[in-house]
Amino acid sequence: MGFHEVRFPANLSFGSVGGPERQTDVVTLANGFEERNTPWQHSRRRYDAGVAMRGLDDIEALIAFFEARRGQIHGFRWKDWADYKSGGALLDPAYDDQLIAFGDDLSPTFQLIKTYRSGEHTYARPITKPVCGSIRIGIGGDEQDEGVHYQVDCSTGIVTFNHPPNDGERVTAGYEFDVPVRFDTDRVLVSVASFQAGDAPNVPVVEIRV
């Protein structure tokens, strides 16, 4: 198994169907009450790449990409057009979009995260595949310079500062990001006749842990 640091063609993922899923174990007790639990700390996303195909050129590009990944063997990057920025969908990333940590005078490395909020409840999602060139970092309300104050590993989403942030200082970040995925099938079935009639192939894609 391996991971190829290459993105599925963004023009082909545009229009695809997908989103997050959770795994919940629900037990109904004799008194009618429920107990609910989950073995997953983080959600997992699924997509269907087939519905975004618009022509035979797209099918050709899909098959070439599928073959280069050896089917399910190698993972790759996927742009989720519904959720690929640290801030608002119509805004460019800003260095203070997301609070990722507080400095402690000791730790120079931090994982990029994106926090989802609904009322008083939050979920922090690790971001492991940021897009190089889109990442902005701040400390204590001041934007830092990449290469001068910090470096980012775009294959892991880990930010490393040249000097650990001071104790209590807010470490913030803004970025675009991809989802690490693999094909969830070892075959792609395409009929040119049915495709031209509007029948798109089914090409499932699933998020992987990296």
Side-chain angles (χ1 to χ4, degrees):
M1 298 190 332
F3 190 91
H4 293 175
E5 291 290 340
V6 60
R7 177 192 276 176
F8 186 83
N11 63 310
L12 301 187
S13 63
F14 185 79
S16 63
V17 176
E21 69 170 353
R22 291 278 181 173
Q23 180 171 308
T24 307
D25 298 325
V26 181
V27 177
T28 302
L29 307 178
N31 59 8
F33 286 89
E34 291 182 346
E35 290 186 356
R36 296 181 295 277
N37 202 356
T38 178
W40 290 6
Q41 179 183 1
H42 300 293
S43 57
R44 192 182 196 191
R45 282 153 174 77
R46 289 184 179 273
Y47 307 95
D48 186 353
V51 297
M53 301 296 106
R54 300 173 182 84
L56 295 181
D57 288 343
D58 290 349
I59 293 295
E60 182 179 4
L62 168 65
I63 292 176
F65 194 91
F66 179 85
E67 292 286 21
R69 307 288 87 75
R70 306 297 193 270
Q72 300 186 72
I73 292 293
H74 298 292
F76 54 92
R77 288 171 172 258
W78 174 274
K79 184 173 183 176
D80 182 347
W81 286 89
D83 185 8
Y84 70 97
K85 291 183 179 181
S86 55
L90 301 180
L91 302 176
D92 292 331
Y95 73 89
D96 56 355
D97 280 345
Q98 297 287 328
L99 173 64
I100 63 173
F102 286 96
D104 61 4
D105 283 328
L106 299 174
S107 301
T109 61
F110 301 91
Q111 177 70 56
L112 289 177
I113 62 171
K114 180 175 181 179
T115 300
Y116 298 81
R117 292 180 174 84
S118 177
E120 298 178 354
H121 302 279
T122 62
Y123 162 62
R125 173 188 179 187
I127 301 300
T128 59
K129 297 298 178 184
V131 176
C132 285
S134 73
I135 305 161
R136 302 173 65 182
I137 301 294
I139 296 180
D142 295 321
E143 185 167 7
Q144 307 296 294
D145 293 324
E146 185 173 4
V148 177
H149 302 111
Y150 70 93
Q151 296 82 37
V152 181
D153 187 340
C154 294
S155 66
T156 63
I158 293 177
V159 181
T160 302
F161 290 97
N162 295 341
H163 301 285
N166 295 333
D167 186 43
E169 282 193 317
R170 293 167 55 91
V171 181
T172 58
Y175 45 79
E176 293 185 4
F177 63 97
D178 294 324
V179 183
V181 300
R182 64 167 172 82
F183 288 108
D184 198 23
T185 181
D186 271 327
R187 61 180 180 178
V188 176
L189 301 179
V190 178
S191 169
V192 173
S194 62
F195 179 75
Q196 291 179 331
D199 185 12
N202 179 36
V203 188
V205 174
V206 62
E207 184 177 3
I208 56 178
R209 313 290 192 204
V210 294

Short mmCIF file of all heavy atoms in Angstrom, two decimals, residues 22-27 34-40:
data_model
loop_
_atom_site.label_atom_id
_atom_site.label_comp_id
_atom_site.label_asym_id
_atom_site.label_seq_id
_atom_site.Cartn_x
_atom_site.Cartn_y
_atom_site.Cartn_z
N ARG A 22 -20.54 8.54 9.53
CA ARG A 22 -20.17 8.11 10.88
C ARG A 22 -20.61 6.66 11.09
O ARG A 22 -21.49 6.17 10.37
CB ARG A 22 -20.83 9.00 11.93
CG ARG A 22 -20.32 10.43 11.98
CD ARG A 22 -19.06 10.53 12.78
NE ARG A 22 -18.54 11.89 12.88
CZ ARG A 22 -17.52 12.23 13.64
NH1 ARG A 22 -16.91 11.30 14.38
NH2 ARG A 22 -17.08 13.47 13.66
N GLN A 23 -19.98 6.00 12.03
CA GLN A 23 -20.39 4.65 12.38
C GLN A 23 -20.89 4.67 13.83
O GLN A 23 -20.13 4.94 14.76
CB GLN A 23 -19.23 3.66 12.25
CG GLN A 23 -19.62 2.23 12.63
CD GLN A 23 -18.54 1.24 12.28
OE1 GLN A 23 -18.06 1.21 11.15
NE2 GLN A 23 -18.16 0.42 13.24
N THR A 24 -22.16 4.39 13.99
CA THR A 24 -22.79 4.46 15.31
C THR A 24 -23.43 3.12 15.65
O THR A 24 -24.20 2.57 14.85
CB THR A 24 -23.86 5.56 15.35
OG1 THR A 24 -23.29 6.81 14.91
CG2 THR A 24 -24.41 5.74 16.75
N ASP A 25 -23.11 2.60 16.82
CA ASP A 25 -23.73 1.39 17.33
C ASP A 25 -24.89 1.80 18.22
O ASP A 25 -24.71 2.51 19.22
CB ASP A 25 -22.74 0.55 18.14
CG ASP A 25 -21.56 0.09 17.29
OD1 ASP A 25 -21.77 -0.19 16.10
OD2 ASP A 25 -20.44 0.00 17.83
N VAL A 26 -26.10 1.38 17.85
CA VAL A 26 -27.31 1.74 18.60
C VAL A 26 -27.90 0.47 19.20
O VAL A 26 -28.19 -0.49 18.48
CB VAL A 26 -28.35 2.43 17.68
CG1 VAL A 26 -29.58 2.81 18.49
CG2 VAL A 26 -27.74 3.67 17.02
N VAL A 27 -28.06 0.46 20.52
CA VAL A 27 -28.66 -0.66 21.24
C VAL A 27 -29.94 -0.18 21.90
O VAL A 27 -29.91 0.77 22.70
CB VAL A 27 -27.70 -1.24 22.29
CG1 VAL A 27 -28.37 -2.36 23.07
CG2 VAL A 27 -26.41 -1.73 21.63
N GLU A 34 -32.34 4.03 24.53
CA GLU A 34 -31.23 3.64 23.66
C GLU A 34 -29.89 3.95 24.30
O GLU A 34 -29.76 4.91 25.06
CB GLU A 34 -31.31 4.38 22.32
CG GLU A 34 -32.46 3.97 21.43
CD GLU A 34 -32.43 4.72 20.11
OE1 GLU A 34 -31.69 5.72 20.00
OE2 GLU A 34 -33.15 4.31 19.20
N GLU A 35 -28.93 3.13 23.92
CA GLU A 35 -27.53 3.45 24.19
C GLU A 35 -26.82 3.55 22.85
O GLU A 35 -26.95 2.67 22.01
CB GLU A 35 -26.87 2.37 25.06
CG GLU A 35 -27.36 2.36 26.49
CD GLU A 35 -26.58 1.39 27.36
OE1 GLU A 35 -25.70 0.68 26.82
OE2 GLU A 35 -26.84 1.34 28.57
N ARG A 36 -26.10 4.66 22.67
CA ARG A 36 -25.43 4.90 21.40
C ARG A 36 -23.94 5.12 21.64
O ARG A 36 -23.55 5.86 22.55
CB ARG A 36 -26.04 6.12 20.69
CG ARG A 36 -27.49 5.92 20.29
CD ARG A 36 -28.06 7.14 19.58
NE ARG A 36 -28.11 8.32 20.44
CZ ARG A 36 -29.09 8.57 21.30
NH1 ARG A 36 -30.10 7.72 21.42
NH2 ARG A 36 -29.07 9.66 22.02
N ASN A 37 -23.13 4.48 20.83
CA ASN A 37 -21.69 4.61 20.95
C ASN A 37 -21.06 4.52 19.56
O ASN A 37 -21.70 4.06 18.62
CB ASN A 37 -21.13 3.52 21.87
CG ASN A 37 -19.77 3.90 22.45
OD1 ASN A 37 -19.21 4.94 22.12
ND2 ASN A 37 -19.24 3.04 23.31
N THR A 38 -19.81 4.93 19.46
CA THR A 38 -19.11 4.85 18.19
C THR A 38 -17.65 4.47 18.40
O THR A 38 -17.02 4.97 19.33
CB THR A 38 -19.18 6.18 17.41
OG1 THR A 38 -18.43 6.04 16.19
CG2 THR A 38 -18.61 7.33 18.22
N PRO A 39 -17.11 3.58 17.57
CA PRO A 39 -15.69 3.27 17.65
C PRO A 39 -14.83 4.26 16.88
O PRO A 39 -13.60 4.18 16.92
CB PRO A 39 -15.62 1.87 17.00
CG PRO A 39 -16.73 1.88 16.01
CD PRO A 39 -17.83 2.71 16.61
N TRP A 40 -15.44 5.19 16.17
CA TRP A 40 -14.70 6.14 15.35
C TRP A 40 -14.60 7.49 16.05
O TRP A 40 -15.61 8.07 16.45
CB TRP A 40 -15.41 6.38 14.01
CG TRP A 40 -15.38 5.21 13.07
CD1 TRP A 40 -14.90 3.96 13.31
CD2 TRP A 40 -15.86 5.21 11.72
NE1 TRP A 40 -15.05 3.17 12.20
CE2 TRP A 40 -15.64 3.91 11.20
CE3 TRP A 40 -16.46 6.17 10.90
CZ2 TRP A 40 -15.99 3.55 9.91
CZ3 TRP A 40 -16.81 5.83 9.61
CH2 TRP A 40 -16.57 4.54 9.12
#
